Amino acid sequence: MAYAAVLGYGVVGSGVFGLLRQNAALIEKRMGEPIAVKRVLDLRSFPGDSVEPFLTHDAEDIINDAEIGVVAEAMGGLNPAYEYSMRALRAGKHVVTSNKELVSVHGAELMAAAAEYNVCYLFEASVGGAIPVIQPLKHMLLTESVSQVAGILNGTTNYILTQMREHDAGFAETLKDAQDRGYAERDPSADIDGFDACRKLAILLSVCLGKYVNYSKIPTEGIAGITSDDFAFAAVSGNTIKLIARADIKGSAVEASVAPMILSKDSRLGVVGDVYNAVSFTFDAKDNILLGGRGAGKYPTAGAIVSDMAEALRRGCETPAWTRDEAALSAPDEVISTRMIRYTFTEQQKSRATVHRVFGTEDLIWANAGILGQAAFFTRPMKEREFACRINLLKSMPDIGVKSTLRLYAGR
Ligand code: HSE
């Protein structure tokens, strides 16, 4: 019999508790022994809930219990999740987590402690919800390098953007719906402003590079400014808008970003809708691999945690996926992209002449969505630094109101 504990009885923690009990017979058969929940930590009480007999308000009841061999941390946030995870590892317990904030900041220390104490620190559920991505990535990296990572890594924003495009739904009401479904973070700005996807990209990049990637150094933009007019102009050329987390790795040059981007609605990432996530890796020999599945939600995330619990018990321990050495990221100024610029005008011909004066005439493509008083155009590819100069000049023009500047996704 393997004994388990769950830290946090929120959406994900209660899913882990429920799934371990629901699949108990199957897990026992496949693992050769049952995984029994012995304790669940939460500050709250849950009168009448099936968790009641297992509930404790004191982490010491878990850390000091030698029978508990695996701990699922589903508390979220840095503290006290970091302290409890570290102490559980030092007490010889495996720890598995969905906590991307903690993994992206302290993953290296936690994995180093796990290796020292001959246990596992696994975090499959921290990226892509139900999608097995960390373990397959580690496996593939044993023999090859990755040159590009690109994906939709946030379920909440993908749900919102899908609803906005398909049902012309409003931003605020769709966000509320996503929160009610248990997709969103406690602080929804982590989703909306792109930081959740940014942390997940930092985790994937850290695995790819074997070094710590500081998420705060990845240029990140959210989706709060996207409107139905952006979708209308994108649709003119068969495109849609997705929050894309991407990185190109060329030798020691690593260029990463998170931003809403325009891409073909029929492309591999363009067709990923609802709360689904997808991530593609480009390898030297294996070429491009796309992994997909439900990126958020109670049971999809709990499913990934429970798989990690079983994996930890079966595996024992492993080499840390990355060290505390920090990977250098390229300066964002040098990144080259094409943008779709949407603006309002008072006189169409005059505004076009102004755009041509500022952005040139070569390779500039106009889009007409039939919206009164609005126009959009695609720039030629240019470095961020050059784009910043030109767009600031355009914004200063009296007859033009720049509304959005969305990048065109150029990856696979
Ligand atoms: N808020 C996250 C998302 C949850 O929407 O993807 C899963 O990490």
Side-chain angles (χ1 to χ4, degrees), residues 100 125-126 153-157 183-185 191 196 200 277 295-296 301:
K100 50 253 153 177
S126 67
L153 295 178
N154 183 267
T156 302
T157 47
Y183 299 158
E185 297 300 307
D191 296 301
D196 178 77
K200 291 167 178 168
N277 282 191
T301 311

Side-chain angles (χ1 to χ4, degrees), residues 124 132-142 144 146 149 203-205 207-208 281 283 291:
E124 187 64 73
V133 53
I134 303 291
Q135 293 302 341
L137 182 58
K138 285 191 215 162
H139 171 78
M140 292 188 280
L141 284 164
L142 285 173
E144 284 184 61
V146 169
V149 181
I203 292 171
L204 293 179
L205 265 181
V207 176
C208 290
F281 298 98
F283 287 89
L291 303 168

Side-chain angles (χ1 to χ4, degrees), residues 12-13 16 19 72-74 95-101 103 121-136 138 153-155 183 185 196 199-200 203-204 277 294-309 311:
V12 175
V16 171
L19 193 58
E73 183 266 301
V95 176
V96 311
T97 187
S98 56
N99 187 338
K100 50 253 153 177
E101 195 178 352
V103 176
Y121 183 69
L122 300 181
F123 45 89
E124 187 64 73
S126 67
V127 180
I131 312 169
V133 53
I134 303 291
Q135 293 302 341
K138 285 191 215 162
L153 295 178
N154 183 267
Y183 299 158
E185 297 300 307
D196 178 77
R199 288 184 184 115
K200 291 167 178 168
I203 292 171
L204 293 179
N277 282 191
R294 281 195 176 268
K298 178 172 175 162
Y299 286 108
T301 311
I305 290 189
V306 171
S307 291
D308 261 359
M309 293 171 95
E311 186 64 33

